[in-house]
Amino acid sequence: MSDSEKTSTGTVERHEFGAEVGRLLDLVVHALYSDREIFLRELVANAADATDRRRFAALTDAALSMPESPKVRIVPDKAGRTLTVTDDGLGMGKEELTRDLGTIARSGTRAFSQSLAEASPGERPNLIGQFGVGFYSAFMVADRVEVVSRRAGTDEAWTWASEGQGSFTLTPGSRAEPGTDVVLHLKEDAEEFLEPTRLQHIIRKWADHIALPIVIGGTEEMAGNQGTALWRKPKGEIDEDGYAEFYRHVAHAFDKPWATLHWRAEGATEFTALLFVPGMKPFAAVEGERESRVRLHVRRMFITDEAGLLPNWLRFVAGVVDTDDLPLNVSREMLQATPALSRIRKAVTGRVLSELGSRAKNAEDYVGFWENFGPVVKEGLIEDGARRAEIAPLLRFRSSTAEGWTSLAEYLGRMKDGQDEIFYLIADDPDALARSPQVEGFRARGLEVLLLSDHVDAFWPDHLGEYEGKKLRSITQGAVDLSRFAAEGEAAEAAPELGGLIEALKTALGEDVSDVRPTDRLVESAVVLASAGYGPDLQMQRLLRRAGRGLGALAPVLEVNGRHPLVQTLARRVESGEDVSDAAGTLLDLARIQDGDTPRDPVAFARQIASALAAKDPAPS
Ligand code: ADP
Ligand code: MG
């Protein structure tokens, strides 16, 4: 009963916006002023989203059931200078009004203002939708906005109102049916938005592909959109701009698509698909979201974007799949189990892969895609055993010898006689990789090493295992035998005897190493680390250690370069009976640092280096 009391007394609650929201409002209103007509696109998109959500929720909860023919209504009132956007959607209760309209986008504000500064004026209108700040664009044209909303399944309505100046109020309201009215009290200079033909023009331009009817006017209605589901049109009737506009809508993007795939599948399962590969890495969509958001429609009706139509490792693909072969009331459980849907998933995935495969033939064109989404595609090697062989040819790498990007096939073409493995090195820092001592001996022998620095690179090589019968081999894993490849220049000379040095190092380093051995894979560096035997690759061990799971891994092997002056000096010192324990520790730490790791004891390491440097200083006479 307290609810109705509240209604009758008309309690007003005042709430402050977060400080960030105030700034955001300012940004939206000022940066986008010249494109203010897009406020209508944003409000209509929200209305259509809310209607879609109600339809989907009603499938499993009859209390939320939809009116017979839901629509979005845009009603101008010249006398009152208001414009109202009304929908039959899910509506918002008190909580949603406070949360969704009062505190949005705090975390996105910084990214939003940065993108705004970087975007050209032509790109700006599309940023709004991308960052989920669409509702706020209403304040470009209105100096007061009221939202009257009733959540489906409840009979309580609330009015949210704000002047966009840092606070909003919540008052109990009334609404006969569930849904939402957004009432804009237009600014004096925004009266153009009371003209029905102007409104229709805006809707045709920005929201024509919305399937839900959008009508303009109160008593005398006029159709806003043509409601043509773009994907159902024949390809010949859609031009590049038409595709691009739709892409921006479904992908929340503001660039041009890198690839547009539009086809109709006939046969056991029939469907139409219109999919896009973005031309830019979308904000948060690659790192943040984990699941594919391709929209599923049944007979044009939007059903859900959670049907997992594409695997996670193709989650950057945006678009629509529309089929007649599912019932309109397909439920969440059915989404998992329906054979028709798994056939669609398979077909759609195959089609995207073959498109990538053919675009990969044009190296210059493909690089743009690979730099944006390569790391995501690599996840497929881990998650999707059945598709591994199809993914491998799509991979591109930096390499120790080739300029730019290289494929595995190109690597195979450059392999040395007698080479039967594909060598790779993984590290965090792409710049350090090329100079890494790990690569020296390979370079001296003209052996190419693939240089991997994406986070996912530590994980997939073990899953792929080989390419065209050639094993993938981490050069930090175990001992790579380079003796059968002729080296050029000084590395070709036989290494000098190290005498007792190896034993002395082993004794001094104890359990910090599992072995010390001479190596031919170094040219300019004195030492390098390798993992012991066939344990995990060194980078993998580092990741495990950082995750607190490094225990149990074998200590690394220290490999020493007998041709290096430092190593030779140490060998002589051991011969003459000197203790080289301190130097041994420093050598091991140097090897760790070269791989981007830290010294075991940074303070002790710094002291040793300092005293070694001091010893070199000629004493004052
Ligand atoms: P976005 O649509 O990208 O989430 P908006 O600023 O446009 O960002 O809207 C914020 C949120 O407010 C929406 O996600 C939705 O939850 C809610 N909302 C806005 N308009 C409506 C509406 N007409 N009906 C129901 N909920 C709405
Ligand atoms: Mg929105």
Side-chain angles (χ1 to χ4, degrees), residues 400-401 408-423 440-449 470 481-489:
S400 61
T401 56
L408 288 172
E410 288 163 335
Y411 181 100
L412 257 48
R414 289 189 292 263
M415 276 176 37
K416 286 276 204 184
D417 279 348
Q419 181 184 349
D420 52 8
E421 291 172 315
I422 298 170
F423 298 119
E440 281 174 14
F442 290 83
R443 190 174 281 127
R445 289 166 176 81
L447 292 167
E448 183 170 2
V449 179
K470 306 289 183 199
D481 178 17
L482 293 183
S483 60
R484 55 211 163 100
F485 303 101
E488 294 139 23

Side-chain angles (χ1 to χ4, degrees), residues 42-51 53 85-87 89-92 96-97 99-102 104-105 128-137 147 149 151 179-182 252:
E42 295 303 323
L43 297 183
V44 166
N46 285 350
D49 285 350
T51 312
R53 275 188 283 142
V85 178
T86 293
D87 65 62
L90 195 57
M92 289 172 278
E96 288 84 13
L97 285 165
R99 187 191 61 208
D100 298 339
L101 302 184
I104 51 115
I128 280 197
Q130 196 191 10
F131 286 91
V133 294
F135 174 76
Y136 289 78
S137 62
V147 180
S149 196
R151 180 90 171 165
T180 301
D181 308 304
V182 179
H252 290 294

Side-chain angles (χ1 to χ4, degrees), residues 326-327 329-339 341-342 345:
L326 286 173
N329 61 352
V330 58
S331 67
R332 234 164 251 278
E333 298 71 53
M334 276 178 79
L335 285 176
Q336 297 314 315
T338 319
L341 209 57
S342 33
R345 283 193 187 105

Side-chain angles (χ1 to χ4, degrees), residues 174-334:
S174 76
R175 204 176 187 283
E177 297 290 334
T180 301
D181 308 304
V182 179
V183 185
L184 309 184
H185 293 263
L186 293 177
K187 295 179 181 172
E188 236 165 89
D189 66 356
E191 285 183 352
E192 60 185 297
F193 301 112
L194 295 169
E195 282 307 325
T197 50
R198 173 89 169 97
L199 295 169
Q200 186 188 49
H201 178 82
I202 301 172
I203 293 299
R204 291 259 159 101
K205 177 168 165 197
W206 295 105
D208 214 29
H209 44 74
I210 291 181
L212 186 69
I214 303 168
V215 300
I216 296 162
T219 41
E220 253 177 75
E221 280 186 2
M222 137 178 171
N225 58 339
Q226 287 162 331
T228 38
L230 186 77
W231 57 92
R232 292 256 178 164
K233 281 191 181 175
K235 274 172 112 161
E237 287 178 25
I238 311 170
D239 61 8
E240 206 184 315
D241 286 346
Y243 278 127
E245 189 52 53
F246 183 69
Y247 157 71
R248 293 182 191 126
H249 168 73
V250 290
H252 290 294
F254 59 94
D255 56 333
K256 285 211 176 85
W258 177 78
T260 302
L261 287 79
H262 187 189
W263 80 101
R264 170 149 188 82
E266 323 243 325
T269 303
E270 305 201 340
F271 63 90
T272 302
L274 175 51
L275 302 178
F276 303 96
V277 177
M280 281 176 36
K281 221 189 286 193
F283 172 74
V286 173
E287 276 87 36
E289 296 257 335
R290 283 285 304 147
E291 263 123 52
S292 167
R293 289 276 174 195
V294 168
R295 296 160 61 97
L296 174 67
H297 290 240
V298 172
R299 267 156 269 163
R300 290 164 173 239
M301 284 294 201
F302 172 75
I303 300 295
T304 176
D305 61 0
E306 293 175 9
L309 288 170
L310 281 171
N312 295 347
W313 52 275
L314 290 173
R315 61 183 173 273
F316 49 85
V317 177
V320 170
V321 170
D322 187 358
T323 180
D324 290 354
D325 293 351
L326 286 173
L328 257 181
N329 61 352
V330 58
S331 67
R332 234 164 251 278
E333 298 71 53
M334 276 178 79

Side-chain angles (χ1 to χ4, degrees), residues 13 164 256 271 292 322 347 371 382 387 535 560 598:
E13 291 181 19
K256 285 211 176 85
F271 63 90
S292 167
D322 187 358
E371 289 181 347
I382 302 164
R387 297 278 186 186
V560 296
T598 49

Side-chain angles (χ1 to χ4, degrees), residues 14-31:
R14 182 166 288 276
H15 298 256
E16 303 293 312
F17 283 129
E20 296 272 283
V21 175
R23 220 179 99 224
L24 191 67
L25 280 171
D26 213 50
L27 275 171
V28 168
V29 173
H30 293 103

